[in-house]
């Protein structure tokens, strides 16, 4: 039945963002947390294939301007999904580190109406065992000579963070509406003939 086929295809395409996010999150979490995880090169290559494949498939199924903007929203949602997986990854070791030096760098945004200049604080650390050697923050968290507690992964698969700083739900909360909007565009673009139309 044409109507049933159209409904199934519409549901399948609208479900693509959620399925892609689950696949990307699962792959990223496994790469960060598993003792049998692949090398960084393989992890990044497979992650890129998942992300590009999902966005290309979405655009091919939906097409037109809706497909372009939906794929763009999908890519942003998937990148935030990777960020959420990174922030949720276990950093089981904690070290009390002395701040040897603090370097700041202003990062300008290009274009009119762009966000204001952002300052990145790079803390050079003296930690027991020599790792981690540095920590990057978006705000001033300590000065030279201070001691900070840093949570890190001894296998060095994920970047260190201040102890208690990681909040994976923040990136997840941003990812959900982007993925939902991408799914909504896919659902609304269904044409009466069963083909996606502008």
């Amino acid at each position: 039945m044409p109507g049933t086929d159209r409904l199934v295809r519409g549901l399948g395409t609208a479900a693509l963002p959620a399925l892609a996010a689950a696949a990307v999150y699962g792959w990223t979490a496994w790469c960060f947390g598993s003792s049998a995880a692949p090398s960084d090169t393989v992890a990044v290559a497979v992650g890129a294939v998942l992300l590009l494949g999902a966005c290309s498939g979405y655009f091919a199924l939906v097409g037109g301007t809706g497909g372009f903007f939906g794929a763009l929203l999908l890519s942003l949602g998937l990148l935030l999904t990777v960020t959420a997986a990174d922030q949720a990854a276990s950093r089981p070791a904690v070290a009390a580190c002395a701040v040897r030096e603090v370097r700041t760098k202003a990062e300008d945004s290009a274009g009119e109406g762009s966000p204001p200049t952002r300052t990145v604080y790079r803390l050079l650390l003296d930690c027991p065992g020599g790792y981690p050697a540095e920590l990057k923050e978006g705000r001033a968290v300590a000065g030279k000579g201070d001691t900070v507690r840093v949570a890190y992964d001894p296998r060095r698969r994920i970047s260190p963070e201040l102890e208690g700083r990681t909040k994976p739900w923040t990136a997840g909360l941003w990812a959900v509406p982007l993925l939902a909007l991408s799914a909504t565009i896919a659902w609304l673009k269904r044409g009466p003939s069963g083909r996606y139309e502008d």
Side-chain angles (χ1 to χ4, degrees):
M1 294 174 57
T4 303
D5 291 345
R6 194 163 54 242
L7 178 63
V8 169
R9 183 178 175 206
L11 287 172
T13 306
L16 179 62
L19 296 173
V24 167
Y25 187 91
W27 173 256
T28 306
W30 182 71
C31 289
F32 286 149
S34 173
S35 58
S39 68
D40 290 346
T41 304
V42 172
V44 170
V46 172
V49 167
L50 283 172
L51 197 145
L52 292 173
C55 293
S56 299
Y58 180 97
F59 180 75
L61 288 169
V62 178
T65 55
F68 172 78
F69 287 109
L72 181 61
L73 292 168
L74 176 59
S75 66
L76 294 173
L78 293 178
L79 289 173
L80 284 167
T81 301
V82 171
T83 301
D86 171 66
Q87 293 174 346
S90 175
R91 293 167 172 84
V94 177
C97 304
V99 179
R100 183 169 25 98
E101 186 180 346
V102 179
R103 297 180 182 167
T104 59
K105 180 181 178 183
E107 293 185 350
D108 294 325
S109 299
E112 188 175 328
S114 60
T117 300
R118 185 172 80 101
T119 302
V120 175
Y121 296 83
R122 185 171 161 228
L123 284 66
L124 304 182
L125 305 172
D126 283 327
C127 298
Y131 182 81
E134 70 175 37
L135 186 67
K136 291 182 181 176
E137 289 290 327
R139 61 185 176 90
V141 295
K144 182 178 179 179
D146 291 342
T147 299
V148 293
R149 291 183 60 80
V150 181
Y152 67 95
D153 175 13
R155 295 173 301 157
R156 304 184 185 192
R157 286 193 170 268
I158 49 178
S159 58
E161 296 273 355
L162 286 176
E163 184 182 27
R165 176 80 192 274
T166 302
K167 297 175 182 172
W169 52 266
T170 304
L173 286 177
W174 281 101
V176 168
L178 293 173
L179 295 169
L181 190 53
S182 178
T184 302
I185 290 171
W187 178 254
L188 295 176
K189 290 286 290 172
R190 292 171 302 120
S193 65
R195 299 185 53 172
Y196 281 79
E197 302 171 352
D198 283 332

